[in-house]
């Protein structure tokens, strides 16, 4: 158990809908990272927050957004969902800001868009 | 642009054998190279990591070998066990910079009993 929690574990929704994925980092970690894992693209970095501020952006679509709250939990919002958005979404956390310190991954949320 | 290239894509090893997974990177600013292990239905778990000031790091049966001049690093799993069957990802980034953690595409390891 990495100490990073993610909810929900599974999510099934229809195209065009909007969903919110939630992540709680390890105790003491200030950075939260979001990744998308699909069979053909591997693990793709989406976005990172450090202590409430956006720190780095990766291959995140404009339909996706995230935020980190004062209690350090983070939410990833996915809107206007398409079939191709079906994937595993992982949250990871680390102690320091961008690039500093080991990243610990949560168990993931499996999103299925039908 | 794939900044970390990982090979092989899949690997089958007999129990007790040595599993070797290779990665090559392009960005010379990278100075942190972790390996992650992922079991089906689980998140990637940090296995071992190395920084370029050493050429080798060993933790139990797992060893990272690092060749800075060749911009390559590899994971060796000695005395491979069926419980090691998982997907392994190498990664790299620049500690202290703003570089994100970049992952290889993964190697699916199967250790036959």
């Amino acid at each position: 158990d990495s100490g990073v929690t993610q909810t929900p574990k599974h999510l099934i929704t229809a195209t065009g809908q909007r969903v919110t994925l939630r992540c709680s980092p390890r105790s003491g970690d200030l950075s939260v990272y979001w990744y998308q894992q699909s069979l053909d693209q591997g693990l793709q970095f989406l976005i990172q927050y450090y202590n409430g501020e956006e720190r780095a952006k990766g291959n995140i679509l404009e339909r996706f957004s995230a935020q980190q709250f004062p209690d350090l939990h983070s939410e990833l919002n996915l809107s206007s969902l398409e079939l191709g958005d079906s994937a595993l979404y992982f949250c990871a956390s680390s102690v320091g800001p961008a690039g500093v310190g080991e990243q610990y991954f949560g168990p993931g949320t499996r999103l299925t868009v039908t | 642009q794939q900044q970390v290239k990982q090979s092989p894509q899949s690997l089958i090893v007999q129990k007790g054998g040595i599993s070797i997974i290779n990665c090559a990177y392009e960005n010379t600013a990278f100075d942190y190279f972790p390996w992650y292990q992922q079991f089906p239905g689980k998140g990637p778990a940090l296995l071992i990591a190395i920084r370029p000031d050493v050429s080798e790091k060993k933790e139990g049966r797992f060893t990272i070998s690092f060749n800075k001049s060749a911009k390559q690093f590899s994971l060796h799993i000695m005395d491979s066990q069926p419980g090691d069957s998982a997907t392994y990802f190498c990664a790299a980034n620049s500690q202290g910079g703003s570089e994100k953690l970049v992952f290889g595409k993964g190697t699916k390891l199967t250790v036959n009993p």
Side-chain angles (χ1 to χ4, degrees), chain A:
Chain A
D1 185 358
S2 67
V4 179
T5 61
Q6 288 187 249
T7 56
K9 192 174 176 67
H10 301 280
L11 201 48
I12 302 174
T13 190
T15 54
Q17 295 298 305
R18 173 189 167 94
V19 296
T20 297
L21 313 183
R22 182 188 169 103
C23 166
S24 292
R26 293 187 321 157
S27 177
D29 285 358
L30 299 178
S31 276
V32 169
Y33 309 77
W34 285 98
Y35 292 86
Q36 180 190 58
Q37 185 177 41
S38 57
L39 281 174
D40 57 342
Q41 292 294 323
L43 271 162
Q44 296 287 317
F45 169 74
L46 295 178
I47 197 164
Q48 184 232 344
Y49 279 80
Y50 173 70
N51 205 19
E53 301 283 331
E54 182 183 304
R55 186 78 181 199
K57 231 171 182 177
N59 303 319
I60 188 165
L61 299 172
E62 285 191 12
R63 300 182 286 107
F64 296 0
S65 65
Q67 56 183 323
Q68 186 178 28
F69 294 87
D71 67 352
L72 300 177
H73 91 272
S74 178
E75 292 181 356
L76 178 67
N77 300 295
L78 314 176
S79 61
S80 303
L81 285 167
E82 302 175 359
L83 295 177
D85 297 327
S86 295
L88 273 166
Y89 291 84
F90 288 104
C91 165
S93 73
S94 70
V95 172
V100 178
E102 294 85 359
Q103 293 185 26
Y104 294 88
F105 282 74
T109 293
R110 181 175 294 278
L111 173 66
T112 303
V113 183
T114 61

Side-chain angles (χ1 to χ4, degrees), chain B residues 51-62:
Chain B
R51 299 182 195 276
D53 52 341
V54 295
S55 60
E56 186 174 281
K57 183 174 181 180
K58 184 176 181 179
E59 288 184 4
R61 296 183 295 107
F62 300 91

